[in-house]
Amino acid sequence: MGFITERKKKNGAITYTAQIRINKGGIIHSEAKSSPDKKFLQHWLFVRERALAEHGALEALKHSGTTITAVLEWYEKDFDGMTKFGRTKLATIKQLKKSPFLAELDATKAEASDFIRYARERRASGVAGSTVNGDFIWMRSALRSARLARGVNVNLQALDDAAQLLRSERVIGPGKKRDRRPTLDELEALYRLFEKSDNGRKSKVKMRHLFLFALFSGRRQEEVCTIRWDDIDERRQGVLVRDMKHPREKIDTFCYFTDQALAVLKNVPRTDEYIFPYNSKTVSERFTKACKLLEIKDLRFHDLRHECVSWLFELGWDIPRVSNVSGHRSWSSLQRYTHLREHNPHNKYAGWWVLDELFNQ
C-alpha cells in the first residue's frame, strides 16, 4: 500500500519520500511525507497505514472539512420535504446554521469539548438551558442522518458525552412546564380592550371572539386561524382540526366543542371561508401587545389552551373526556392536570357576565 522512493539532490544529499495510495470502495486517497531520515519514514509509513486501515478512517478523510452547518443543510434537504419539520424544529435548525462557531467546526473531527464550549457560550449570551438542549437534540438528528444517509464518519459519541455532562451540571435540560393561568379580572380586562378595539375603524383583526374561542375550545393560535366553517360538524358539536400538531407528526384530528366554545362561534359573523381569517403571528402579537398595555405579566396566548384543560379537569371531567376536546392522543400528556380533580368539582366561570352576555345574544 505504501512505498519509499529515494532522490538525490544537486548537492549530493539523499532525501526520501514515503507515499501512500489507496483506492478502496470508490474512495481514492493519497498522501506523502519527505525526510532525509529513512528509518523515520519507515516508522511513519507503518503507523499511518495501520491508522488508515481502521474502520471508518477513509470515510472520515473523504468528508474531512465538512462543517456542522453543512450537515444541517443536508438534513433539511434530505428530510424536510418528507417529514414536514415543525415550526420549532425549523427555527432551531435555522438558528444553528447561522452560528459562526458551527460553520467552522469539522463534523468529522469535533470533540466533546467543542460541543461543551458551544453550549457554555450560548448560555453566557443569555439563552435558556432548555433552548440549548433543543439545539443538541436537533444537532444529533442531523449528525445521525449524515452518518446513515450520506456515510459521513461523524463522532456521535462526542456529542452524547458533551450532552450528558452538560445535563448533569444543569447547563442544559428540559424546560419547566408553565402553570400560568389567567385570572377572571385579567380575562375581563382583555375582553373589554378587545371589544373596544374591534369596534374601532382601524381594527382589521377582530380579537374579542377569537380569544374567547381559544379560551373555551383549547385550540392553539395556529389552529384557531386555520379552521374553516366547513370543518365544523354541528351535529356532533365538534370540528376537524387539520394537520393538528402531535409529538411526532401532524394529523387531522376531530375535537369536540364545549358549550361555551360553541356559543362563541354562534356570535361570529361569516365573512370568509375561515372562521378567523387572520395570520397566527399577528394574533399572537396583538395578544402580547394587549397584555403589555394592561400590565398583565407573563401571560401568553398558548396559556389559554392550558387554562381550558385545567378548567375542564376542575369541572370533574376525566382524561378521556378532556382529550376529546383538547385533541391529545397520548393521555400521559394530561397526567399533570389530574390533581385538579382531587378537589370538589367547581366552575371558575359560573355566573361570569361575559358568558352570560354570549348565551343571551
Side-chain angles (χ1 to χ4, degrees):
M1 183 165 60
F3 57 92
I4 298 177
T5 58
E6 178 183 314
R7 186 169 65 90
K8 188 175 182 179
K9 295 183 178 181
K10 291 181 180 180
N11 61 4
I14 302 295
T15 186
Y16 302 93
T17 299
Q19 291 184 305
I20 298 176
R21 292 178 181 174
I22 304 173
N23 187 343
K24 183 179 179 181
I27 300 175
I28 300 175
H29 173 72
S30 65
E31 57 183 275
K33 182 178 282 293
S34 298
S35 173
D37 188 340
K38 187 175 182 179
K39 288 186 177 180
F40 165 76
L41 289 178
Q42 288 174 336
H43 177 70
W44 175 84
L45 199 62
F46 173 76
V47 173
R48 191 64 185 137
E49 286 179 340
R50 291 191 63 180
L52 292 172
E54 292 183 3
H55 178 70
L58 288 177
E59 287 79 4
L61 287 171
K62 178 183 177 181
H63 295 285
S64 180
T66 300
T67 64
I68 300 291
T69 296
V71 168
L72 290 163
E73 290 174 347
W74 285 344
Y75 186 47
E76 254 191 312
K77 180 180 179 181
D78 291 347
F79 293 100
D80 184 24
M82 191 180 306
T83 59
K84 296 182 181 179
F85 290 172
R87 188 181 68 175
T88 301
K89 185 174 183 178
L90 281 173
T92 301
I93 292 175
K94 183 179 180 180
Q95 180 278 316
L96 288 169
K97 289 194 299 182
K98 290 181 178 180
S99 168
F101 180 77
L102 298 181
E104 298 176 356
L105 188 59
D106 190 331
T108 65
K109 299 177 181 178
E111 298 179 353
S113 58
D114 295 315
F115 295 113
I116 291 172
R117 176 189 162 196
Y118 167 81
R120 286 175 174 167
E121 288 182 356
R122 284 275 280 161
R123 289 303 312 274
S125 68
V127 177
S130 57
T131 301
V132 185
N133 188 61
D135 291 353
F136 273 71
I137 290 172
W138 302 128
M139 265 198 289
R140 191 182 195 284
S141 295
L143 288 170
R144 188 170 184 271
S145 169
R147 188 182 69 180
L148 298 178
R150 291 182 176 256
V152 182
N153 190 38
V154 299
N155 187 2
L156 275 175
Q157 192 59 50
L159 181 69
D160 291 342
D161 289 344
Q164 183 177 1
L165 176 63
L166 291 166
R167 289 184 182 118
S168 67
E169 296 296 327
R170 297 184 180 180
V171 177
I172 66 175
K176 296 180 180 179
K177 293 187 181 296
R178 285 181 62 81
D179 290 318
R180 176 68 162 95
R181 296 181 62 183
T183 65
L184 280 177
D185 288 341
E186 290 172 335
L187 292 172
E188 287 180 8
L190 285 167
Y191 180 83
R192 291 182 186 280
L193 179 63
F194 290 142
E195 183 179 38
K196 183 179 179 180
S197 64
D198 286 359
N199 293 329
R201 294 181 180 180
K202 295 182 179 180
S203 178
K204 294 182 179 181
V205 179
K206 306 298 183 180
M207 288 288 295
R208 178 171 58 121
H209 290 128
L210 186 152
F211 115 91
L212 285 178
F213 176 73
L215 175 64
F216 291 111
S217 69
R219 305 273 57 83
R220 301 178 178 91
Q221 66 189 49
E222 297 89 349
E223 297 166 359
V224 170
C225 297
T226 55
I227 295 176
R228 297 179 174 90
W229 287 106
D230 289 344
D231 294 328
I232 296 177
D233 186 331
E234 293 186 10
R235 182 180 64 82
R236 297 172 65 191
Q237 192 171 318
V239 61
L240 181 64
V241 182
R242 301 184 184 278
D243 287 330
M244 185 173 176
K245 178 182 176 182
H246 294 283
R248 296 186 179 275
E249 60 184 340
K250 290 183 178 180
I251 187 171
D252 294 351
T253 306
F254 187 85
C255 299
Y256 289 92
F257 284 140
T258 62
D259 292 339
Q260 292 77 3
L262 196 60
V264 174
L265 288 184
K266 288 180 179 179
N267 286 274
V268 178
R270 294 199 182 198
T271 59
D272 193 279
E273 64 175 312
Y274 293 95
I275 300 174
F276 300 104
Y278 313 122
N279 185 291
S280 63
K281 290 184 179 179
T282 303
V283 169
S284 179
E285 291 170 0
R286 288 290 303 275
F287 186 83
T288 301
K289 184 178 180 180
C291 289
K292 185 176 181 179
L293 184 64
L294 296 169
E295 298 184 348
I296 298 175
K297 305 295 184 182
D298 190 35
L299 185 64
R300 305 172 187 173
F301 192 93
H302 191 76
D303 293 331
L304 300 179
R305 175 172 167 81
H306 169 66
E307 168 64 17
C308 179
V309 174
S310 301
W311 165 62
L312 294 177
F313 275 108
E314 286 176 343
L315 290 175
W317 290 25
D318 57 16
I319 289 180
R321 193 179 178 192
V322 173
S323 67
N324 283 336
V325 172
S326 67
H328 285 90
R329 298 181 70 191
S330 172
W331 291 357
S332 61
S333 302
L334 296 172
Q335 290 292 341
R336 73 186 185 103
Y337 294 95
T338 53
H339 70 282
L340 297 172
R341 297 182 68 241
E342 296 174 359
H343 308 288
N344 292 328
H346 66 282
N347 185 357
K348 175 179 178 178
Y349 298 99
W352 192 33
W353 66 268
V354 173
L355 286 179
D356 290 342
E357 184 178 280
L358 283 172
F359 278 104
N360 293 325
Q361 285 182 357

